[in-house]
Amino acid sequence: MSVLAAESPVNLTLGIDARRAHPTEGWSCIVPSATSGVLPTPQVAHRRGQVGPRGRFAALTAAFTLHSFRKKATREGEQPDMIEVENLSKRYGDKVAVDGLTFTVSPGVVTGFLGPNGAGKSTTLRMIAALDVPTSGRVRVNGRDYRSSPAPMAELGLLLEAKAVHPGRSARDHLLAIGQTAGIGKARVDQVIELVGLGDVARKRVGGFSLGMGQRVGIAVALLGRPGTVVMDEPVNGLDPEGVRWIRALLRALADEGCTVFYSSHLMSEMAQTATNLIVIGRGRLIADSTVEQFIAKTTAASVVVRSPEAPRLRGLLGRPGVRIVSDGPDLLRVDGVTPEEIGTIASLAGVPVFDLRVERASLEEAFMQATQDSVEYKAAGSESL
């Protein structure tokens, strides 16, 4: 689990009576891995590893930096933070929303979740969050059923519906109310407010927020408990370009520090810049579980682009069975079925000058459209019907 910490160092001295919170193991007192500026109960401190059998805290002090993260070392035999989906299915009457999904979301990388509308993404995310009960199969978050977690907000940070906020409540009051359910105090709430860029409007009513500002409130809720696993549904929805770049950097930073990061989006260009791995589903079934590069390479063919002032002559030299050549201009050829090395060698031996020779791969959007063309449930009419 990673820890978000204060831009200007803030000293937080904690003191609690730990006599009723003795763990079964022989831990000694250690610096807290997560503190919120509130005096935790002995039970909460025990769960966080902030207390040991030697009794009272002795003025433990922690300095936090807002935009820095650090990783909690995993004890030997401890389950690393991850999401495991095993043969997961969900039915609503005769409708099969999710059909036998099996995949693992690993820590340390950003994993994107893709699928057409109606593919079952939201239903899958709701089952991961234990908001929907699977018809069959199971989900484990950090090695166990999320419902059994003693500290849910520290296990899993969720952004499923950013605007699920009372419109008459301020952003700060909303976060304070949620934090109080998990023993999280004002200091942590104020840190997260600054982190998501809502410092100037934190005391204003959420009902007057734009879509992007409401999205930032939802992201703040997801990060409030310093979770080791983060699941977000369309986190860039409504954000301006600066906000999109910020969420991209945030997700990468969380992954770099060992968090498990799983998020969905319909913005393929943004997904291509942010995610390392992909889970792609269609009609509730798994289509792909791979890296972004592997998904594009497997789904689409790469072309070799070559530019030469003698393009027509080069085209004649390259023509043979199994080779497809398309002219993209008077001096530009797009070639399939021949490697760049072969083209370069043939051109060199024939004395044909070449000014540009490169492999051009399809975009993630093109690969996605190709992979899911048989899984699109809602197809719009063509523009010719206008």
Side-chain angles (χ1 to χ4, degrees):
M1 185 183 303
S2 63
V3 176
L4 284 168
E7 188 160 283
S8 56
V10 179
N11 291 328
L12 303 176
T13 302
L14 306 178
I16 67 169
D17 191 332
R19 286 174 295 179
R20 293 186 297 167
H22 292 176
T24 56
E25 299 175 344
W27 295 351
S28 58
C29 292
I30 60 173
V31 175
S33 64
T35 56
S36 59
V38 66
L39 299 182
T41 65
Q43 290 78 12
V44 170
H46 176 193
R47 287 199 303 267
R48 292 176 180 169
Q50 297 172 351
V51 65
R54 295 184 182 145
R56 186 181 302 272
F57 268 80
L60 293 179
T61 301
F64 295 110
T65 305
L66 183 61
H67 295 297
S68 68
F69 303 85
R70 58 188 172 88
K71 184 178 178 182
K72 182 190 76 174
T74 302
R75 294 184 180 87
E76 184 177 353
E78 185 176 284
Q79 176 71 30
D81 295 331
M82 64 172 60
I83 300 169
E84 298 167 287
V85 173
E86 184 179 329
N87 200 27
L88 192 67
S89 296
K90 180 64 177 179
R91 286 180 171 271
Y92 296 99
D94 295 334
K95 171 70 174 178
V96 180
V98 176
D99 190 3
L101 284 182
T102 296
F103 61 84
T104 298
V105 182
S106 300
V109 295
V110 178
T111 300
F113 193 29
L114 297 178
N117 288 334
K121 299 189 303 299
S122 295
T123 302
T124 301
L125 296 179
R126 287 181 61 84
M127 287 190 285
I128 290 173
L131 296 174
D132 284 350
V133 178
T135 303
S136 62
R138 66 175 180 173
V139 178
R140 288 181 292 182
V141 176
N142 307 335
R144 59 185 166 195
D145 188 325
Y146 179 54
R147 292 170 296 184
S148 67
S149 173
M153 292 188 70
E155 291 279 356
L156 181 61
L158 289 166
L159 171 65
L160 299 185
E161 180 52 64
K163 294 291 283 185
V165 184
H166 192 291
R169 181 178 291 170
S170 73
R172 188 171 187 271
D173 285 345
H174 176 64
L175 290 165
L176 284 171
I178 293 176
Q180 286 175 0
T181 68
I184 298 171
K186 295 180 180 179
R188 175 59 185 163
V189 167
D190 290 337
Q191 288 173 8
V192 173
I193 286 172
E194 293 300 323
L195 174 64
V196 301
L198 292 177
D200 293 338
V201 296
R203 297 181 184 274
K204 294 185 177 181
R205 293 182 178 181
V206 176
F209 281 11
S210 66
L211 177 61
M213 291 167 64
Q215 197 76 354
R216 290 173 184 264
V217 174
I219 293 168
V221 172
L223 299 178
L224 192 58
R226 298 183 179 89
T229 300
V230 175
V231 172
M232 296 189 180
D233 191 10
E234 299 281 354
V236 300
N237 187 27
L239 295 179
D240 59 16
E242 184 278 331
V244 171
R245 292 185 65 182
W246 166 75
I247 193 67
R248 183 194 311 154
L250 175 67
L251 295 179
R252 286 176 174 173
L254 288 169
D256 287 345
E257 291 301 323
C259 272
T260 298
V261 180
F262 191 42
Y263 86 105
S264 72
S265 179
H266 288 294
L267 300 179
M268 296 297 154
S269 60
E270 181 55 35
M271 182 68 75
Q273 294 183 70
T274 307
T276 299
N277 294 344
L278 286 178
I279 304 295
V280 184
I281 66 173
R283 297 188 184 274
R285 297 176 181 174
L286 186 68
I287 293 176
D289 179 358
S290 68
T291 66
V292 174
E293 291 78 9
Q294 290 170 341
F295 176 67
I296 294 173
K298 183 178 179 179
T299 308
T300 60
S303 297
V304 179
V305 176
V306 55
R307 186 165 65 89
S308 170
E310 299 183 25
R313 182 182 169 210
L314 181 59
R315 179 170 185 157
L317 293 170
L318 295 174
R320 67 189 189 206
V323 176
R324 180 175 175 269
I325 305 173
V326 176
S327 295
D328 275 359
D331 64 347
L332 197 65
L333 300 175
R334 190 177 301 275
V335 185
D336 296 333
V338 186
T339 66
E341 292 79 8
E342 290 177 292
I343 294 174
T345 300
I346 292 171
S348 177
L349 292 175
V352 176
V354 172
F355 298 153
D356 188 12
L357 182 61
R358 68 183 187 276
V359 176
E360 189 172 275
R361 298 196 179 277
S363 66
L364 176 59
E365 179 178 302
E366 292 169 319
F368 174 78
M369 297 299 290
Q370 179 70 26
T372 61
Q373 60 182 341
D374 296 328
S375 301
V376 177
E377 189 168 350
Y378 305 104
K379 292 187 179 181
S383 58
E384 63 274 5
S385 64
L386 295 176

